[in-house]
Amino acid sequence: MERYLERHQQKELLRLLTCGSVDDGKSTLIGRLLHDTRQIYEDQLAALQRDSVKQGTTGGGVDLALLTDGLRAEREQGITIDVAYRYFSTERRKFIIADCPGHEQYTRNMATGASNCHLAIILIDARHGVMPQTRRHSFICALLGIKHLVVAINKMDLVAFRQDVFDQIRRDYSDFIARLEIPDLRFVPMSALTGENVVRPAPNMPWYPGPPLLTQLETVAIAGDEDQGELRFPVQLVSRPSHDFRGFAGTIASGELHRGDEVMLLPSRARTRVERIVSFDGDREHAHAPMAVTLTLADEVDVSRGDMIVHPHSLPQQSDEVDATVVWMAERPLVPGRSYLLKQTTRVVPAELAALHHKIDVNTLEQRPADSLAMNEVGRVTLALHRPIFHDPYTRNRSTGAFILIDRSSNGTVGAGMLLAREDAWSAPGVDEGPRDPGSQIPQAEREARLGQRGLTVLLTGLPGAGKSTLAYALERRLFDAGRAVTVLHGQAMRQSLSRDLGYSADDRSENLRRSAEVARLFNQIGVVCICAFVAPHAAVRERVRQLIGADRLLEVHLSAPLAVCRARDQTGMYARAERGELKAFPGVSAPYEPPIRADLVLPSDLLGPDECVERVLALLRERGVA
């Protein structure tokens, strides 16, 4: 018995749901799975037989749908209203299956049932084909990030098991689903009432070469579906059972951590290390999603419920305005300006609907203008939050990318949302697109014509002490004297103003450069030449700057003075402090500097004087039609 229980405990768990249009046979299918895998006790089966005779829906036979339709209203109407969960297992796998309602008015119930499933079974009545609710549920499954869809074309016994009917429905559904991103799509013809092709192969459909439904459920690969990317640990509770223990409890939303890992605490951005990982079974050396653990930290830090613990090299987005797709669940419509509570992970913040961009016709996937969202409608919105949240796009992390909206008066859930990747701050809007200010009526070409020059950014990169700032200001002087509109953005100057909240970690250096690149792009859009002097040690970050500003508007100039020369030139003592360990992540000493591979110009600033460096950059600018 102990060996059996241990083997059962090790089985992989598959969460799935059945959905589709009304009376497609969802509840009957679940009942058939339970019956044919011998998951029904004898007393349950006897009660089911009595209820089937009482209901009279199957002409004296056993109505397997009654196993899940437990509400009186469901049995009286012959429909599913609430989401019913059932558990069963086979030799290969354990299953939790949700029976979701098919009526349009209960779409919110279906979305709730689908929110944590690996796989969805979309049932289609072979007599009716693809119905509007079939498309609606398929769209919501795709919206919620379900990667595996099994399209079960049911009631094949009522169409004489004809292959042409199956093929036509498969074509119709494939035409619709092609517009959605579903990586794993399968089709199975079957009859839930008779059990053909549910657990055992169907003798009446020899033209179907594939395995029955249960075999597909047992073998679908889901191991890679869980969020095991960046560490996200929302703090749910500060545990203080005694004066000598202070831990931070929660469930790891994604990723993994080890004892001794360096972590960052948000929003304070303080850094510390994991001292202990405490679980129900005792201390652990390692933990991963979705384990519930309590962390103790090496330093006394201020952490409270709603904060998040992450690795310093993989930070989530932080913003007080988010874009999202919302499924509205309340009878009172969603309208701009109304205030709600937004709950995301363990953080609850007041939120207002800043903009309703459009609603989505879930049958045709068309985007239509709207000034409100009615119950069960889906729309694209922008929410303004009273405090920032830490989040990832839902497509990247289902835990930190999901939220619910709560009515502030009734405390009821009125909406469910999936956070979208906002227009990436690193992505370029396009060449000569003009300023992103939608109110401006002055094209970029007219601005450049007025100045008689083309906006362009010169990125000077190299180790600290390579001569970037000297070259930047000397180049600015020469261009200004030549009548050009020009300005300099210097890394240290930016840190004293726009980036005064940032440190010197790799992420902070990246963010400083991103903000500065945005400023440079704004200068370029009005025709100004912008000279940027930054260490910019990471090649990937410099490439993102190129994409942001535009490849034809960025010149990358590498000052290639070697480390020994830069250290000898240093009059600030920064290299010495870095070597003593006082400065962390210092490029060239305690952090790498990645030299450009495809720089537009390489200047050996240890061999060339400032004037010769300026002349070489001016020659490059003349080639580009600027100087």
Side-chain angles (χ1 to χ4, degrees):
M1 178 62 71
E2 290 180 355
R3 286 196 300 270
Y4 168 78
L5 292 175
E6 183 178 357
R7 187 172 68 253
H8 181 76
Q9 186 69 24
Q10 298 301 319
K11 291 179 184 177
E12 189 176 42
L13 174 64
L14 175 71
R15 297 184 181 89
L16 67 148
L17 77 153
T18 59
C19 51
S21 192
V22 178
D23 201 30
D24 279 345
K26 297 178 291 297
S27 299
T28 302
L29 172 61
I30 296 176
R32 173 60 62 185
L33 284 169
L34 296 174
H35 180 274
D36 289 5
T37 55
R38 302 183 183 277
Q39 305 289 316
I40 306 175
Y41 295 111
E42 290 186 3
D43 58 338
Q44 288 180 305
L45 187 59
L48 187 63
Q49 291 170 340
R50 291 194 302 270
D51 290 343
S52 299
V53 173
K54 181 180 178 180
Q55 297 295 326
T57 55
T58 55
V62 177
D63 186 356
L64 296 174
L66 297 180
L67 280 170
T68 55
D69 290 341
L71 299 177
R72 175 180 295 180
E74 293 178 321
R75 295 192 172 195
E76 289 175 350
Q77 300 178 53
I79 64 172
T80 300
I81 295 175
D82 200 4
V83 180
Y85 294 92
R86 290 295 181 269
Y87 169 87
F88 73 100
S89 66
T90 65
E91 286 298 318
R92 297 185 181 181
R93 194 172 250 173
K94 297 181 292 186
F95 301 90
I96 295 178
I97 186 166
D99 182 20
C100 294
H103 278 65
E104 180 179 348
Q105 70 186 90
Y106 301 120
T107 300
R108 62 190 185 277
N109 301 45
M110 178 266 163
T112 302
S115 60
N116 63 353
C117 286
H118 302 105
L119 178 146
I121 302 174
I122 306 289
L123 275 93
I124 298 177
D125 190 326
R127 299 170 299 171
H128 305 142
V130 179
M131 302 292 289
Q133 195 69 341
T134 310
R135 292 189 285 267
R136 179 186 300 271
H137 284 183
S138 300
F139 170 71
I140 292 177
C141 287
L143 193 65
L144 291 172
I146 295 179
K147 297 182 172 72
H148 311 278
L149 285 189
V150 177
V151 182
I153 301 176
N154 192 26
K155 304 187 180 182
M156 290 296 295
D157 55 313
L158 299 183
V159 294
F161 302 103
R162 290 166 48 195
Q163 181 179 1
D164 61 315
V165 174
F166 172 77
D167 290 340
Q168 183 60 49
I169 295 175
R170 181 170 59 181
R171 285 192 295 269
D172 293 342
Y173 187 86
S174 297
D175 290 343
F176 167 78
I177 206 68
R179 290 173 285 177
L180 303 174
E181 295 182 1
I182 302 295
D184 183 16
L185 178 65
R186 310 164 185 223
F187 293 87
V188 180
M190 55 173 245
S191 171
L193 184 64
T194 65
E196 294 198 60
N197 226 18
V198 178
V199 175
R200 287 172 287 276
N204 290 309
M205 291 181 281
W207 43 265
Y208 172 69
L213 175 66
L214 182 61
T215 302
Q216 302 206 33
L217 298 181
E218 289 180 321
T219 57
V220 62
I222 61 169
D225 294 350
E226 297 291 341
D227 291 322
Q228 294 295 344
E230 299 93 344
L231 173 65
R232 301 290 184 260
F233 183 82
V235 176
Q236 184 175 357
L237 175 71
V238 179
S239 176
R240 196 71 185 270
S242 64
H243 68 278
D244 58 354
F245 182 91
R246 183 167 180 258
F248 308 100
T251 299
I252 301 176
S254 65
E256 60 182 7
L257 54 81
H258 298 77
R259 190 168 68 88
D261 278 359
E262 183 184 20
V263 292
M264 177 177 284
L265 315 176
L266 300 176
S268 68
R269 302 179 73 88
R271 296 190 182 214
T272 184
R273 292 192 177 275
V274 177
E275 191 173 66
R276 294 175 60 191
I277 303 175
V278 185
S279 71
F280 179 79
D281 299 319
D283 282 19
R284 305 178 63 93
E285 291 294 317
H286 165 260
H288 58 81
M291 296 175 62
V293 295
T294 298
L295 305 182
T296 65
L297 304 176
D299 303 298
E300 289 294 331
V301 290
D302 181 18
V303 182
S304 58
R305 175 181 170 85
D307 291 355
M308 188 175 289
I309 299 176
V310 300
H311 283 142
H313 59 270
S314 58
L315 301 182
Q317 298 179 25
Q318 177 182 356
S319 57
D320 57 6
E321 186 175 86
V322 294
D323 291 340
T325 301
V326 168
V327 180
W328 194 243
M329 300 178 174
E331 294 183 0
R332 189 180 183 186
L334 173 67
V335 294
R338 191 165 292 165
S339 180
Y340 303 93
L341 292 177
L342 181 145
K343 184 178 186 301
Q344 178 253 358
T345 62
T346 58
R347 197 171 184 86
V348 179
V349 299
E352 295 176 356
L353 180 61
L356 174 55
H357 302 288
H358 57 255
K359 66 179 180 181
I360 302 171
D361 187 323
V362 296
N363 298 315
T364 64
L365 304 183
E366 294 178 350
Q367 299 175 358
R368 298 181 177 178
D371 51 17
S372 66
L373 280 185
M375 185 170 67
N376 296 321
E377 288 188 329
V378 180
R380 163 79 180 273
V381 304
T382 296
L383 298 171
L385 314 179
H386 290 206
R387 294 190 303 276
I389 61 172
F390 315 104
H391 61 92
D392 300 284
Y394 184 83
T395 53
R396 184 175 173 182
N397 191 314
R398 292 176 69 175
S399 298
T400 58
F403 66 89
I404 60 172
L405 292 174
I406 302 170
D407 185 273
R408 303 189 70 164
S409 57
S410 67
N411 207 36
T413 301
V414 293
M418 287 66 67
L419 294 169
L420 302 171
R422 304 201 73 179
E423 180 184 350
D424 190 355
W426 286 101
S427 62
V431 179
D432 294 331
E433 201 174 56
R436 286 192 291 179
D437 178 7
S440 176
Q441 300 180 12
I442 306 173
Q444 183 170 3
E446 287 189 29
R447 296 179 184 273
E448 292 179 333
R450 172 69 60 87
L451 292 176
Q453 66 180 44
R454 184 167 178 267
L456 186 136
T457 293
V458 180
L459 175 61
L460 306 178
T461 175
L463 287 168
K468 299 181 296 299
S469 57
T470 301
L471 175 58
Y473 291 114
L475 182 61
E476 180 190 36
R477 180 78 257 178
R478 290 287 298 274
L479 288 172
F480 183 81
D481 290 344
R484 300 300 183 185
V486 60
T487 190
V488 170
L489 293 182
H490 186 245
Q492 284 301 111
M494 294 296 293
R495 288 184 175 280
Q496 296 171 11
S497 54
L498 191 62
S499 298
R500 66 174 61 187
D501 59 318
L502 300 178
Y504 288 89
S505 68
D507 291 320
D508 287 345
R509 288 183 183 277
S510 173
E511 175 62 13
N512 183 37
L513 187 56
R514 184 196 70 79
R515 296 178 187 180
S516 304
E518 287 280 10
V519 175
R521 181 168 68 173
L522 292 175
F523 277 121
N524 292 168
Q525 286 173 346
I526 59 174
V528 174
V529 174
C530 187
I531 304 168
C532 296
F534 289 82
V535 176
H538 301 292
V541 176
R542 295 194 300 267
E543 182 59 30
R544 292 166 77 182
V545 171
R546 183 179 297 276
Q547 295 171 6
L548 172 67
I549 294 176
D552 66 328
R553 291 185 179 272
L554 179 75
L555 296 179
E556 186 177 37
V557 179
H558 177 212
L559 279 68
S560 62
L563 178 61
V565 174
C566 295
R567 184 188 291 108
R569 288 178 176 177
D570 179 29
Q571 298 179 356
T572 64
M574 296 184 69
Y575 275 99
R577 292 176 58 196
E579 290 166 350
R580 292 195 301 267
E582 298 175 10
L583 294 180
K584 305 296 184 183
F586 191 82
V589 179
S590 52
Y593 175 83
E594 301 170 358
I597 299 176
R598 297 176 299 174
D600 296 281
L601 180 63
V602 177
L603 295 175
S605 53
D606 57 319
L607 303 177
L608 302 177
D611 291 340
E612 190 170 357
C613 287
V614 169
E615 290 298 334
R616 293 197 181 191
V617 177
L618 289 175
L620 179 62
L621 291 174
R622 282 192 288 269
E623 290 178 11
R624 302 298 174 94
V626 176

